[in-house]
Amino acid sequence: VLSFRAVESQSEAQCAPVDSLWRRYSEFELLRNYLSVTYPHIVVPPLPEKRADFVWHKLSADNMDPDFVERRRIGLENFLLRVASHPVLCQDKIFYSFLTQEGGWKEMVNETGFQLKADSRLKALNATFRVKNPDKRFTELKHYSDELQSVISHLLRVRARVADRLYGVYKVHGNYGRVFSEWSAIEKEMGDGLQSAGHHMDVYAASIDDILEEEEHYADQLKEYLFYAEALRAVCRKHELMQYDLEMAAQDLTSKKQQCEELATGTVRTFSLKGMTSKLFGQETPEQREAKIKVLEEQIQEGEEQLKSKNLEGR
């Protein structure tokens, strides 16, 4: 559970916000999901990791380690500051309520119905393989983010292995320091020398511990790049979906126009089951043809409006 001080009221007419309120990590996740769906064209800042990934032995079984919890708190604070500094996201009412409204915030988010706008993974995968004219700029961005993710993931895994070995050296020297100190108590002639050696072992172990803790902060910064790369990929995936919908709408419109033209002129350019049926069992009456043409013209008008809307959304 996290506590933070809320921002000042946006206008004098509003009630002064509470001094501080509590938010769980799951609420931060809900806020970010809402922002990602509502603003698909924006690279929404990432959240810090919920559980420690790419960890070394000392931290592997302890996700409630005070140092880890504190670093995650700093990461969540950075997330809020980044959203607050964005010219579009900072104006969002849900974000402002997240900072100021103590109760009923989750209900407010769910009432927006943003979940209905979320794209399914199957649809996103389908778009990836079926887009005919992908935008070169977004393709390059996607390849860049994929490569960045791969390189940083590899770097973090290597770093975890190196940290494990360093931690092994730390433990060995710490044990030597304890043994030499205990040994010095039972040795008369070598007591001072053994105690001095034990002290040096302890100092060396402490220096390694400091290095490991400092490197953990560098690892956190690398993880931010990793999560930002995923945020960039999300924008690229959304663009692929829009491009796919645009191409499907354009294809459907072309098909409708062709059908309308065939009905109006009485000529069939492409083979169809309907065309064969007409030849075998007789042509449609003029009234039937006129009714179909009218329906198609309405569908074409709707299709042109939809295509125009999707072009505008894509831009």
Side-chain angles (χ1 to χ4, degrees), residues 80 119 133:
L80 291 176
D119 302 305
N133 300 303

Side-chain angles (χ1 to χ4, degrees), residues 117-133:
K117 301 177 186 176
D119 302 305
S120 69
R121 291 185 178 181
L122 185 63
K123 187 180 176 184
L125 188 65
N126 193 34
T128 300
F129 291 106
R130 296 185 63 181
V131 169
K132 295 177 181 177
N133 300 303

Side-chain angles (χ1 to χ4, degrees), residues 32-269:
R32 190 180 183 280
N33 289 338
Y34 161 79
L35 293 174
S36 298
V37 172
T38 309
Y39 304 95
H41 58 288
I42 293 174
V43 181
V44 179
L47 292 172
E49 56 188 347
K50 185 175 184 178
R51 296 177 181 85
D53 294 320
F54 303 104
V55 295
W56 42 287
H57 179 76
K58 182 183 177 183
L59 299 177
S60 58
D62 189 7
N63 288 314
M64 295 311 292
D65 175 75
D67 291 334
F68 171 73
V69 172
E70 175 59 16
R71 289 200 307 275
R72 190 173 65 176
R73 186 198 66 76
I74 293 170
L76 291 170
E77 185 176 340
N78 286 337
F79 164 76
L80 291 176
L81 291 171
R82 284 166 178 158
V83 174
S85 65
H86 193 281
V88 176
L89 299 181
C90 72
Q91 300 295 327
D92 188 89
K93 291 181 179 178
I94 295 295
F95 173 60
Y96 183 73
S97 298
F98 179 87
L99 297 176
T100 57
Q101 188 168 318
E102 196 154 11
W105 178 79
K106 282 187 179 180
E107 291 74 11
M108 185 183 293
V109 181
N110 293 326
E111 283 171 6
T112 63
F114 80 93
Q115 295 95 335
L116 299 174
K117 301 177 186 176
D119 302 305
S120 69
R121 291 185 178 181
L122 185 63
K123 187 180 176 184
L125 188 65
N126 193 34
T128 300
F129 291 106
R130 296 185 63 181
V131 169
K132 295 177 181 177
N133 300 303
D135 191 312
K136 186 180 178 182
R137 296 168 303 168
F138 283 89
T139 303
E140 289 174 352
L141 274 177
K142 190 177 179 183
H143 288 162
Y144 165 74
S145 58
D146 285 343
E147 188 176 0
L148 185 63
Q149 273 194 315
S150 176
V151 170
I152 292 177
S153 296
H154 179 68
L155 189 60
L156 285 166
R157 283 193 293 270
V158 170
R159 189 261 157 192
R161 290 200 297 270
V162 171
D164 253 341
R165 293 182 182 182
L166 273 175
Y167 184 59
V169 174
Y170 159 79
K171 287 179 69 177
V172 166
H173 284 78
N175 287 335
Y176 270 129
R178 178 178 54 80
V179 169
F180 282 152
S181 295
E182 292 175 357
W183 191 4
S184 67
I186 58 175
E187 286 285 350
K188 294 180 180 179
E189 294 181 4
M190 296 191 302
D192 292 340
L194 289 170
Q195 190 171 13
S196 177
H199 173 71
H200 286 298
M201 293 289 182
D202 289 337
V203 169
Y204 186 63
S207 68
I208 293 176
D209 193 41
D210 290 340
I211 290 170
L212 287 171
E213 289 298 329
E214 187 178 355
E215 282 192 355
E216 202 62 33
H217 292 287
Y218 296 140
D220 285 342
Q221 292 173 31
L222 285 173
K223 288 173 186 176
E224 279 198 340
Y225 279 105
L226 187 71
F227 302 146
Y228 255 115
E230 177 54 36
L232 185 61
R233 289 180 77 240
V235 173
C236 294
R237 283 196 299 268
K238 184 62 183 180
H239 182 269
E240 277 181 342
L241 274 167
M242 286 183 175
Q243 183 67 22
Y244 177 67
D245 288 342
L246 181 65
E247 289 178 2
M248 290 297 101
Q251 185 178 322
D252 185 61
L253 183 60
T254 302
S255 175
K256 291 283 193 301
K257 285 182 176 179
Q258 185 176 323
Q259 289 177 43
C260 191
E261 185 183 343
E262 289 173 355
L263 281 170
T265 59
T267 58
V268 179
R269 294 182 182 180

